[in-house]
Amino acid sequence: MSIDDKWLEQRIAYRGFTDAEREALSGALSEVQVTDGDRIVTQGQSGGVLYILRSGKAEIVDESHGSTVSIANVNEGALLGEMTFLTGGDASASVIARSDCVVYRLPRELFVGIMADQPELSYALFATMLANTAETIRHMNEEHIGMLQYIGGLGRMG
């Protein structure tokens, strides 16, 4: 299978690519087939890779306290590993395939070349990462407010 640049245009960049951008992406992205139950990311592993879930479903889990806690379920189009991609730090959670998946893998060291040669493409990718991060923070804020209301008795009826 090859990288589906039309899908990336529609679901990730939200705009068409130039021929040079297509070439840059084809040289930087690799496709990985992941089987249901396999790990896409392992908590604690070295970072620096952005994963794009091209197809399938996955679960983000925290395994840091001797048990597995589900954080979120994600579907096609999800970006995974953004924090480690940006910081180079270790993965703060694991991502486990919950169906057979196709994942595009973008190492940060190859993205550096895209930033230098294709700044508009790198901007589009950063904008998508930022939008996803903002949505995650918005969701976390809503849950935090709900928890505070519940603890404060505001969530009780009657």
Side-chain angles (χ1 to χ4, degrees):
M1 232 182 217
S2 63
I3 302 301
D4 185 348
D5 57 348
K6 294 294 184 195
W7 180 86
L8 287 168
E9 288 175 338
Q10 295 171 352
R11 295 292 304 267
I12 304 302
Y14 303 107
R15 66 169 185 78
F17 295 140
T18 66
D19 290 340
E21 290 171 337
R22 276 190 187 82
E23 186 177 329
L25 281 173
S26 70
L29 288 172
S30 59
E31 182 180 282
V32 180
Q33 304 283 330
V34 182
T35 303
D36 185 5
D38 287 350
R39 291 173 182 272
I40 298 168
V41 176
T42 300
Q43 190 167 353
Q45 80 183 38
S46 296
V49 177
L50 178 68
Y51 299 91
I52 303 169
L53 188 58
R54 170 57 184 93
S55 66
K57 298 177 182 183
E59 182 180 17
I60 302 169
V61 299
D62 181 291
E63 302 171 303
S64 62
H65 297 98
S67 62
T68 300
V69 176
S70 181
I71 297 170
N73 291 301
V74 294
N75 299 303
E76 175 183 312
L79 300 180
L80 307 165
E82 305 101 311
M83 287 192 296
T84 68
F85 180 74
L86 294 172
T87 66
D90 295 342
S92 61
S94 292
V95 180
I96 301 170
R98 294 302 180 210
S99 69
D100 290 347
C101 298
V102 173
V103 178
Y104 294 155
R105 188 177 183 282
L106 177 60
R108 186 168 61 170
E109 62 270 10
L110 296 179
F111 185 70
V112 170
I114 291 174
M115 287 176 52
D117 299 335
Q118 303 298 328
E120 289 182 23
L121 176 58
S122 62
Y123 174 81
L125 293 172
F126 274 127
T128 300
M129 280 188 270
L130 183 58
N132 285 344
T133 301
E135 183 59 32
T136 299
I137 292 169
R138 191 176 355 271
H139 178 72
M140 289 171 60
N141 285 341
E142 289 169 359
E143 287 187 353
H144 182 72
I145 290 167
M147 236 185 315
L148 291 174
Q149 288 174 336
Y150 178 78
I151 290 169
L154 298 174
R156 289 188 228 146
M157 299 296 269

